[in-house]
Amino acid sequence: MNQIHIIGGGLAGSEAAWQAASRGVQVVLHEMRPVTPTAVHKTDRLAELVCSNSLRGDKLDNAVGLLKEEMRRLGSLVLRAADANRVPAGAALAVDRDGFSQAITDAIHGHPLIAVVREEITGIPADKEMYPLIVATGPLTSDALSRDIATMVGADHLYFYDAISPIVLADSIDMNKVFRASRWGRSLGPRGSGDPGSEASPAGPACGVDDGEGDYLNCPMTRDEYERFYAALIAAESATVHDFEHTNFFEGCLPIEVMAHRGPDTLRFGPMKPVGLVDPRTGRFPYAVVQLRQDNLAGDHYSLVGFQTQLKWGEQARVLTMIPGLEQAEFVRFGIVHRNTYVNGPTVLHDTWQTKMRPDLFFAGQMSGVEGYVESAASGLLAGINAAAVAVGDTPRPAPRTTAIGALAYYASHADPRHYQPTNITFGIMPTILEDANGKKVKKGDRKLATSERALRDLDEWMRGAVVTP
């Protein structure tokens, strides 16, 4: 019987299930919630987003925008649900998290070839009937399964800490102190460019609504306001992890207070950078700025962009209400810290997301050594395609390294294992493009879009069965 099993119903597991079933393979998806809850999930829905509601950039001049477009062309369920539930977020793709996860849950439960079993799998199965098998248990893999995976992969099993941003009620924001804008006015327009009205292809809105005012609420700070906020932040008490120097945080998702301890201007060059955001009341950039992003379709929840934190909740309420416009803020959710679990990809995985110890066992999602919602779903997409191939007796195929989805898999399986850390997709892990398809030299400023054009061209060839090499 052509069948695969998947452990984990997050973004990667759901996408893998959809891809395999779309190829006529029966799927059994094992999700432990609500039988066994996690520390941060609030519902029993599949693909529930527990950190940000943003899937990041949606333009072809950034790598994650390219990755999303590749996934759309490959029939991604996650991108279909995201596009149907997008909320205003400038040039980014942000979603109503409830509508998004409900859409994926409904699609998975409604597919005739997918069966969802609510149970906790506590170890890598010995039953050969459960293979091909995809382990896509995400950053919150249960302790029992983590221990079993650690036994299987040995000392290469690693972990790092991740943190979640707070969310406030829109009605509690002082709109007289904030202004609406996207950085550099980067808002609606085709996905091929960051400029509104660009003719670049492929066409399509960057967000669902554009009233000309921008899609972020911006809380501007003067130098005095910033310095008082900074002093309070670095003095605030952490809820769990106190050793900032030795805790293994992922660099791409550092708690705000960890960044602050690196120096007084670190935040002003990071999540609180004011460049590209002109305060209409002064006509100048603020000294620092905190951005708020709409978190649901109704527009009544806003998350603090880049403000993931591990501070005690009382400390969060005290410090964050020092931000102009948030003095009376009502918090829907405070930030929390949790452990993310992943394997050392270069020692464990092939670029098909198959494990080196057995070809019918796959890892996908953050467990596989990628970072980010989109990257997790992308690894699940390829793992689902390749697990389906194994199930029907075909040969799994890696995606071309010249594509974002292929470059991500290549990095996870070929990076230096001695210093391995999960990565987001970047143009830096893709082969450099020096000439276009006609042999013409590509100028440095045009290389990102040229890289995207090459990637989509090579992806189309790969989808037709061609072998594409860098």
Side-chain angles (χ1 to χ4, degrees):
M1 181 172 61
N2 297 333
Q3 179 175 279
I4 71 169
H5 285 252
I6 300 172
I7 305 175
L11 289 167
S14 297
E15 185 68 74
W18 186 259
Q19 293 296 325
S22 297
R23 286 156 176 78
V25 173
Q26 292 188 331
V27 178
V28 180
L29 179 62
H30 304 264
E31 167 55 48
M32 71 178 188
R33 293 178 298 116
V35 177
T36 303
T38 74
V40 298
H41 287 92
K42 303 300 182 184
T43 76
D44 63 354
R45 291 193 290 266
L46 304 175
E48 179 185 344
L49 304 183
V50 298
C51 297
S52 168
N53 71 318
S54 174
L55 303 187
R56 311 192 332 271
D58 204 23
K59 306 289 187 182
L60 289 181
D61 61 357
N62 60 64
V64 75
L66 169 62
L67 181 58
K68 284 199 283 291
E69 182 57 31
E70 291 177 2
M71 293 170 66
R72 288 185 179 99
R73 296 189 180 199
L74 289 165
S76 168
L77 172 62
V78 167
L79 265 296
R80 189 182 78 179
D83 287 334
N85 289 278
R86 62 167 74 228
V87 297
L93 172 57
V95 301
D96 180 312
R97 64 179 73 223
D98 291 331
F100 170 78
S101 60
Q102 190 63 58
I104 291 176
T105 302
D106 290 344
I108 293 295
H109 280 283
H111 199 293
L113 293 180
I114 303 176
V116 179
V117 180
R118 300 284 181 165
E119 63 178 0
E120 180 183 358
I121 303 295
T122 58
I124 301 297
D127 183 359
K128 64 179 182 179
E129 296 298 323
M130 290 190 68
Y131 291 83
L133 173 70
I134 300 175
V135 179
T137 45
L140 299 173
T141 301
S142 69
D143 290 342
L145 183 56
S146 291
R147 287 192 296 268
D148 196 57
I149 293 173
T151 299
M152 181 181 70
V153 302
D156 297 318
H157 189 66
L158 307 172
Y159 68 88
F160 62 97
Y161 283 90
D162 200 1
I164 294 175
S165 298
I167 295 176
V168 299
L169 272 180
D171 288 346
S172 67
I173 301 169
D174 187 344
M175 297 298 180
N176 294 316
K177 295 186 176 182
V178 306
F179 63 94
R180 292 191 64 196
S182 294
R183 201 178 302 278
W184 301 117
R186 190 174 168 92
S187 186
L188 278 181
R191 284 197 298 271
S193 168
D195 300 322
S198 166
E199 297 300 322
S201 179
C207 57
V209 177
D210 183 21
D211 56 11
E213 296 184 66
D215 299 313
Y216 291 81
L217 296 182
N218 300 278
C219 306
M221 284 186 174
T222 64
R223 180 169 187 160
D224 286 344
E225 288 170 333
Y226 175 79
E227 289 178 348
R228 288 195 296 270
F229 170 80
Y230 176 79
L233 179 62
I234 61 173
E237 187 176 359
S238 170
T240 52
V241 181
H242 298 275
D243 190 345
F244 296 142
E245 295 300 322
H246 298 98
T247 299
N248 191 19
F249 287 107
F250 173 57
E251 281 292 324
C253 197
L254 289 174
I256 192 78
E257 63 276 9
V258 173
M259 284 187 278
H261 276 82
R262 294 181 172 182
D265 287 323
T266 303
L267 299 178
R268 295 183 59 245
F269 287 90
M272 296 180 69
K273 61 180 180 289
V275 294
L277 293 166
V278 177
D279 188 336
R281 289 161 298 193
T282 66
R284 300 189 301 271
F285 295 158
Y287 186 77
V289 67
V290 175
Q291 289 197 297
L292 309 177
R293 180 178 54 235
Q294 184 176 325
D295 198 72
N296 63 356
L297 195 58
D300 56 1
H301 292 176
Y302 277 79
S303 59
L304 280 67
V305 177
F307 263 65
Q308 52 274 2
T309 180
Q310 58 174 345
L311 295 179
K312 287 186 174 180
W313 289 0
E315 294 286 77
Q316 290 184 47
R318 179 180 66 84
V319 174
L320 297 181
T321 51
M322 298 177 67
I323 297 171
L326 301 186
E327 293 88 349
Q328 304 299 321
E330 182 177 342
F331 290 87
V332 177
R333 182 190 72 190
F334 285 110
I336 61 174
V337 66
H338 58 88
R339 193 186 76 180
N340 278 359
T341 306
Y342 67 97
V343 298
N344 189 325
T347 66
V348 176
L349 298 171
H350 293 294
D351 54 3
T352 53
W353 301 107
Q354 293 167 284
T355 62
K356 293 179 179 179
M357 58 278 297
R358 57 180 302 173
D360 56 356
L361 175 62
F362 297 73
F363 281 115
Q366 284 187 255
M367 167 58 72
S368 69
V370 298
E371 173 60 23
Y373 288 149
V374 182
E375 291 85 346
S376 294
S379 67
L381 190 156
L382 276 187
I385 291 174
N386 285 324
V390 172
V392 300
D394 289 341
T395 301
R397 295 194 304 147
R401 283 185 60 197
T402 50
T403 64
I405 199 168
L408 188 68
Y410 189 86
Y411 172 87
S413 56
H414 288 80
D416 183 354
R418 296 169 299 176
H419 308 289
Y420 185 68
Q421 189 176 67
T423 186
N424 298 117
I425 183 63
T426 68
F427 284 122
I429 66 172
M430 301 177 67
T432 302
I433 187 167
L434 300 176
E435 296 181 346
D436 63 18
N438 299 316
K440 184 179 179 181
K441 184 177 180 180
V442 178
K443 296 179 180 178
K444 185 175 181 181
D446 298 330
R447 286 178 186 170
K448 290 181 178 179
L449 283 177
T451 299
S452 293
E453 291 169 359
R454 177 187 65 183
L456 296 177
R457 184 171 61 249
D458 288 353
L459 181 73
D460 289 343
E461 287 293 310
W462 182 75
M463 290 171 64
R464 287 193 289 267
V467 176
V468 181
T469 57

